[in-house]
Structures are given as structure tokens and as C-alpha cells.
Amino acid sequence: QVTAKTAFLFILPQYNVSVPTADGELVQYHYGLKDLVTILFYIFIAIILHAVVQEYALDKINRRLHLSKVKHSKFNESGQLVAFHLTSVIWCLYVVVTEGYISNPRSLWENYPHVYLPYQVKFFYLCQLAYWLHALPELYFQKVRKEEIPRQLRCIALYLLHIASAYLLNLTRLGLILLLLQYLAEFFFHMARLVYFTDENNEKLFNVWAVVFVVTRLFTLTLYILVIGFGLPRVESQALDPERGNFFSFLFNNILFRMSVLLLVCLFQASVMWRFIHFQLRRWREYWNEQSSRKRAAAAGTKQQTKLLKRDLGYHENGVVKAENGTSPRTKKLKSP
């Protein structure tokens, strides 16, 4: 029994409480230091699953494609993220639908702070934190190139910052919707990269990703404005109360603070869209350069074929058909002796 209690500490979420409801009592959860133990356990689970996907899927595909070292590294990165994002999108969509966060958008800010979480919401956040923390040692295990490490570290740090902030500041409902939108766009991007590595002429999925990316950015910005601009300022409990998990909703009564936060959000989304537009312009420029080079190569090949054809058939000089050595192709008549 002693070992069972210790095992449950690693496997199951902690800090469960019984919350009275109209239908009786409901078991929900809040966060604490013991969550770090659970996260540590699922970090090892994520490392094992990472190795399984690499060994039984990605390595076998890589052997058939014979990719270069640079493409090999990017293929492994995108392959792992496709598996993770697909799983997370399905799981997150199931959670937000069953909890009613999509059918009732007002639930994103009503009764804030959302200190008590359903089991599946807390478990989802713990697994998300475990995955992005496991990505740090994977940089060493996967022997990522030094040039790629700063970019990947920045990506991991941003995900950890956003997920941990939503979890600790009791904005888990808003965080779930934002993660769903982000993961959906990322799934199409990495899926497009995988298809591109297998067939460099196939870039149709990049166009699909471009549409999904723009749509998800618009939904993200709209959601921020709806929750921060209109939702949180209407929360009944506006006093600072860290014990109840109310950290900053009182600040949203101040119109200057609210507008400053919305301005920062808009600037961040604008920078993301600028990088996206820059990427699309560079991709289109490379595409047109490639098309023009192919046309020039085809035109040069046609000219070469024309020259070879003239050589084979001879060419005209002053109205007389001549062979390559300049002599007439007609046979000379021998004079009779």
C-alpha cells in the first residue's frame, strides 16, 4: 500500500477536492507543488514515445528517401511534431467540446478565477508541460545541429511560457482554445514539410497551411479581444485575492491597462503575420525563379537539339546544301577515260 500511494503520486493528478453542485458533489482538481512529480514521470513517458516514433516510423522512412543531413534533421523534427500536434488537436478538441467551452463562449470568463479544474483538463495541461520539457533533453539525444538549437529553444520556451501562464493564472479555458488553434496551424505546416521532403514538386499543402494559418490568427485575435476587452472586465470578483487564484482581473477595470494589453496582443499578432507574409513572399520568389530557370533550360535544350539536327542533315550555304565539312553532299561524276 505504501508503494501504491507513491506510485499514484507519480501517475495521477493530485490535489483533488469535492465541489458541491446542484446534482451532488463533483470531484475537481487544483494545482500545487506535487504536480512537478507527476510532470517528471510523464517527461520520461514522452521520451519513450519519442524514441518509439523515431525508431519504428521516421527512421524507416528516412532509409527509403535517402535525404541529406539537413533535410534528415528537419524531417525528423516535423515527423515528431506531426504526431504530437495531431494527438493534441484531437485530445484538446474532445476536451473543449465535452466541457462545453465552444458551445458556450461566455464560460471562458464566467466565474473567473477557474481554480478548480476537471480531471481531463488538468491531466491535459500536465501532459503538455511534460512534452515541452522533454523536448529540452531531446535536443541532445537527437544531435540537433548548433544552428538549429536557438530556434528550437525559443519555440520550446514560448510554449512553456504560455501553457504554464494559463495553468498558474487560472486561465485554463482560454488557454485550451488558443492551444487548439495554434496546434491546428502547426499540424498543417509540419505535414506540408513532410510531403515536400518526399516530393519537392508538391507544395499544395503549404497553400492549405497558409489559409489555415490566417484563419487561426484571426480567431486568436478575436478571442483575445472578446475575453480581455469584454469578458474579464465584467467579472463580479474584481479584488486582488491570490488565495482564491484571482491575480489580475481587478486590473481590467482600468481602461488604460486593458487597452495596453490589447495593444501588445495586436502588435504580437502583427509581428507573427509579418513573418508569415515574408515567408510566403520568399517562397513565391523561389518558385518563380525555379520556373524561369526551368524555362531557360528548356529553351537552351531546344536550341541544342536544333543545332544537332542541322548537323545531322547538313546546312545551306549560298543556296547549296553542304555537309559538316563544307563539301557538297552530292557525289561527283567520274569522267570517262
Side-chain angles (χ1 to χ4, degrees):
Q1 293 180 353
V2 176
T3 56
K5 291 181 180 180
T6 306
F8 289 149
L9 180 64
F10 283 90
I11 298 172
L12 298 177
Q14 304 299 309
Y15 302 105
N16 57 316
V17 292
S18 297
V19 179
T21 60
D23 299 330
E25 290 186 349
L26 182 64
V27 177
Q28 292 191 327
Y29 297 80
H30 60 94
Y31 61 79
L33 290 176
K34 292 181 181 179
D35 290 342
L36 297 175
V37 180
T38 309
I39 291 173
L40 178 63
F41 174 77
Y42 285 100
I43 287 175
F44 292 114
I45 298 297
I47 291 175
I48 295 171
L49 293 176
H50 190 115
V52 169
V53 173
Q54 185 69 41
E55 178 69 24
Y56 293 99
L58 298 179
D59 286 346
K60 291 183 178 180
I61 298 174
N62 274 319
R63 293 191 194 101
R64 295 181 179 180
L65 296 178
H66 303 289
L67 299 174
S68 63
K69 290 184 178 180
V70 176
K71 290 184 177 181
H72 179 84
S73 176
K74 292 182 178 180
F75 185 88
N76 288 337
E77 178 191 356
S78 292
Q80 293 287 348
L81 289 175
V82 161
F84 169 72
H85 288 315
L86 179 60
T87 305
S88 296
V89 164
I90 296 173
W91 189 3
C92 189
L93 183 62
Y94 173 79
V95 172
V96 297
V97 169
T98 54
E99 295 296 332
Y101 299 153
I102 293 181
S103 59
N104 182 21
R106 294 171 61 91
S107 62
L108 298 179
W109 62 80
E110 281 184 339
N111 301 321
Y112 178 83
H114 307 132
V115 179
Y116 298 112
L117 309 175
Y119 172 83
Q120 59 181 354
V121 174
K122 175 164 183 173
F123 189 60
F124 177 81
Y125 270 93
L126 294 180
C127 290
Q128 291 295 312
L129 290 170
Y131 178 86
W132 290 110
L133 285 172
H134 112 281
L136 294 173
E138 285 295 341
L139 295 176
Y140 173 77
F141 296 147
Q142 294 293 320
K143 298 179 180 179
V144 178
R145 295 184 306 144
K146 292 182 179 180
E147 299 82 8
E148 293 289 325
I149 289 178
R151 178 186 63 83
Q152 295 199 25
L153 283 176
R154 185 167 59 251
C155 177
I156 294 169
L158 286 174
Y159 272 114
L160 286 174
L161 176 63
H162 284 79
I163 296 172
S165 298
Y167 185 64
L168 297 175
L169 297 177
N170 301 312
L171 289 169
T172 50
R173 299 179 183 182
L174 175 62
L176 281 173
I177 306 296
L178 294 177
L179 277 178
L180 177 61
L181 295 172
Q182 176 66 21
Y183 285 166
L184 186 63
E186 288 292 309
F187 168 75
F188 279 101
F189 172 72
H190 290 288
M191 194 67 199
R193 282 218 304 184
L194 289 181
V195 174
Y196 175 76
F197 289 141
T198 56
D199 181 10
E200 294 187 356
N201 296 321
N202 191 348
E203 297 187 1
K204 294 181 180 179
L205 266 182
F206 278 111
N207 299 327
V208 177
W209 164 71
V211 175
V212 173
F213 182 86
V214 173
V215 171
T216 53
R217 289 303 101 190
L218 292 175
F219 271 103
T220 299
L221 186 59
T222 304
L223 197 60
Y224 271 118
I225 295 174
L226 181 64
V227 175
I228 295 176
F230 300 98
L232 288 177
R234 298 181 180 180
V235 174
E236 295 180 359
S237 177
Q238 295 289 347
L240 176 63
D241 190 359
E243 293 183 358
R244 293 187 62 251
N246 195 344
F247 295 102
F248 57 88
S249 63
F250 70 99
L251 294 173
F252 288 97
N253 276 334
N254 188 334
I255 184 66
L256 182 61
F257 176 80
R258 191 160 67 244
M259 295 304 295
S260 299
V261 172
L262 288 176
L263 179 62
L264 290 175
V265 169
C266 291
L267 289 176
F268 176 76
Q269 295 299 322
S271 66
V272 172
M273 286 299 299
W274 169 251
R275 289 196 298 270
F276 168 77
I277 293 171
H278 180 72
F279 171 79
Q280 290 296 325
L281 290 176
R282 185 181 63 186
R283 189 168 70 89
W284 289 338
R285 185 166 56 248
E286 291 175 355
Y287 173 77
W288 288 116
N289 289 338
E290 184 180 356
Q291 291 296 320
S292 61
S293 63
R294 286 181 179 178
K295 288 180 180 179
R296 287 195 298 268
T302 304
K303 290 181 180 179
Q304 187 68 20
Q305 288 179 359
T306 305
K307 290 181 179 179
L308 292 174
L309 186 61
K310 285 182 177 180
R311 250 179 218 180
D312 292 338
L313 299 179
Y315 63 94
H316 291 78
E317 184 178 324
N318 296 327
V320 180
V321 179
K322 300 250 180 171
E324 187 177 357
N325 56 4
T327 60
S328 175
R330 291 178 298 175
T331 57
K332 293 183 180 180
K333 293 183 178 180
L334 298 175
K335 293 182 180 181
S336 57

